[in-house]
Amino acid sequence: MSTAKETGILLAHAFVLWVLCTATMGIGMALTSLETALIIHLIAAPIIAAAVSWVYFTRFSHATPMQAAILFVVFVIVVDFFVVGLFIQGSLEMFKSFLGTQLPFILIFTATYVVGIYITRRQAAARREA
């Protein structure tokens, strides 16, 4: 990433990822039990991360897969900490849940990284063939 605009684009994608994951949790908690909502979120988080990453890497791809994966997961952690934990819930209790936080963070990182690697390798192969 070399410019503020490129960083802004990556941050915007991280924000979309966070919003979609938060909406998944919010809707899940409104319609089901907390445990079911956590499982739905656990399944949805890497799918959402993969979809957002796919869009980012096919249209922009300013960052490396590792940079994007780190930024996505750090963004989600920081916003969850301050907005969800401290501001909305008034507690950091949610961070004690492996199923609710740590595992989704790991899966978001992994999905972003794997999609980034796949897309960038595919793009490099297409350039070599051209």
Side-chain angles (χ1 to χ4, degrees):
M1 293 183 299
S2 59
T3 69
K5 181 179 178 182
E6 292 169 352
T7 303
I9 290 168
L10 186 59
L11 286 170
H13 283 79
F15 178 73
V16 168
L17 167 63
W18 177 79
V19 166
L20 293 173
C21 285
T22 301
T24 300
M25 251 333 267
I27 293 167
M29 287 175 28
L31 300 176
T32 66
S33 68
L34 175 60
E35 185 174 333
T36 300
L38 289 172
I39 292 168
I40 292 167
H41 175 255
L42 184 64
I43 294 165
I47 295 168
I48 293 166
V52 171
S53 298
W54 188 277
V55 171
Y56 175 76
F57 283 105
T58 57
R59 296 192 180 175
F60 303 102
S61 199
H62 303 299
T64 67
M66 183 62 73
Q67 289 170 330
I70 291 169
L71 189 132
F72 278 16
V73 79
V74 167
F75 183 92
V76 170
I77 291 168
V78 168
V79 176
D80 273 355
F81 181 88
F82 288 104
V83 174
V84 179
L86 293 179
F87 183 71
I88 295 173
Q89 294 181 349
S91 164
L92 298 177
E93 189 73 23
M94 67 185 261
F95 288 96
K96 291 182 180 178
S97 169
F98 182 74
L99 179 67
T101 54
Q102 291 97 6
L103 190 51
F105 296 155
I106 292 166
L107 294 175
I108 287 168
F109 176 89
T110 303
T112 302
Y113 183 72
V114 168
V115 168
I117 290 291
Y118 174 77
I119 297 292
T120 55
R121 285 184 180 168
R122 194 177 80 174
Q123 290 169 339
R127 282 192 298 274
R128 282 192 303 270
E129 291 175 7

